[in-house]
Amino acid sequence: MSAATKKKHVLLETINNYSLPTDTQAIVRIKGPRGNNLHDVETATGETFIASMPVKFRKTIWTKRGDFVIIEPIEEGNKVKAEIIQVLNRDIIKYIKSEGMWPKEFELNEDAVEKNGYNIDKDMLPSSSDEESDYSDKDLDNNQ
């Protein structure tokens, strides 16, 4: 099997895998990369530790700060305490929420906007009227 075929199968498995986490697995949020396929992750209780990306996902599946993954704990690690089992996309997250297994601590505030992986309250964002007033005072025709 060629490398392209393996990547295709891994990608399709990730997209189409609608399995729920088991008792030993947990849903966590990625806080950021550590390098060498290691990621800082945060549990729903606020505990932070390092999780490793398995070989089958490397150079095929990409994660960024704020993404959610399912992890399984490993006993042999001192610093690395878990391995990523599944990267969750929006459809899988909706499915997990519909089954009632999504951690309440990860629920978005309805008045929050997700921007660059962070949840920002709408009242903290600049209003659109402020932006319009800045431009009305300036001469926008620079061709004279």
Side-chain angles (χ1 to χ4, degrees):
M1 189 181 307
S2 70
T5 306
K6 287 180 185 178
K7 286 183 181 184
K8 181 178 94 172
H9 287 291
V10 169
L11 185 61
L12 288 174
E13 177 190 340
T14 302
I15 293 171
N16 297 326
N17 187 3
Y18 282 79
S19 61
L20 297 171
T22 63
D23 293 336
T24 61
Q25 298 173 346
I27 298 172
V28 296
R29 180 183 327 176
I30 293 181
K31 289 183 68 177
R34 296 275 300 219
N36 291 337
N37 297 301
L38 300 175
H39 299 277
D40 281 328
V41 295
E42 178 181 26
T43 64
T45 60
E47 181 185 357
T48 303
F49 53 88
I50 300 172
S52 67
M53 180 74 76
V55 176
K56 74 176 187 175
F57 290 147
R58 296 177 188 174
K59 298 183 181 179
T60 305
I61 305 295
W62 303 98
T63 59
K64 63 181 187 306
R65 193 174 291 120
D67 283 350
F68 292 98
V69 295
I70 295 177
I71 54 119
E72 186 156 335
I74 53 176
E75 284 90 28
E76 65 266 5
N78 291 335
K79 291 184 179 180
V80 180
K81 296 189 177 188
E83 185 173 55
I84 296 172
I85 301 298
Q86 182 179 4
V87 179
L88 303 178
N89 60 27
R90 288 183 182 153
D91 295 332
I92 298 171
I93 290 172
K94 285 180 186 177
Y95 172 70
I96 293 173
K97 285 181 180 180
S98 70
E99 294 294 320
M101 295 190 70
W102 189 254
K104 295 195 183 327
E105 293 82 6
F106 290 146
E107 287 290 332
L108 283 176
N109 183 1
E110 292 188 11
D111 293 333
V113 175
E114 187 171 337
K115 188 171 186 175
N116 296 332
Y118 298 102
N119 297 326
I120 301 172
D121 288 333
K122 288 182 180 178
D123 61 343
M124 298 299 289
L125 295 173
S127 66
S128 60
S129 62
D130 291 341
E131 294 173 11
E132 293 170 4
S133 65
D134 290 342
Y135 292 116
S136 63
D137 297 335
K138 296 178 182 177
D139 183 18
L140 296 177
D141 189 14
N142 294 331
N143 293 332
Q144 294 178 353

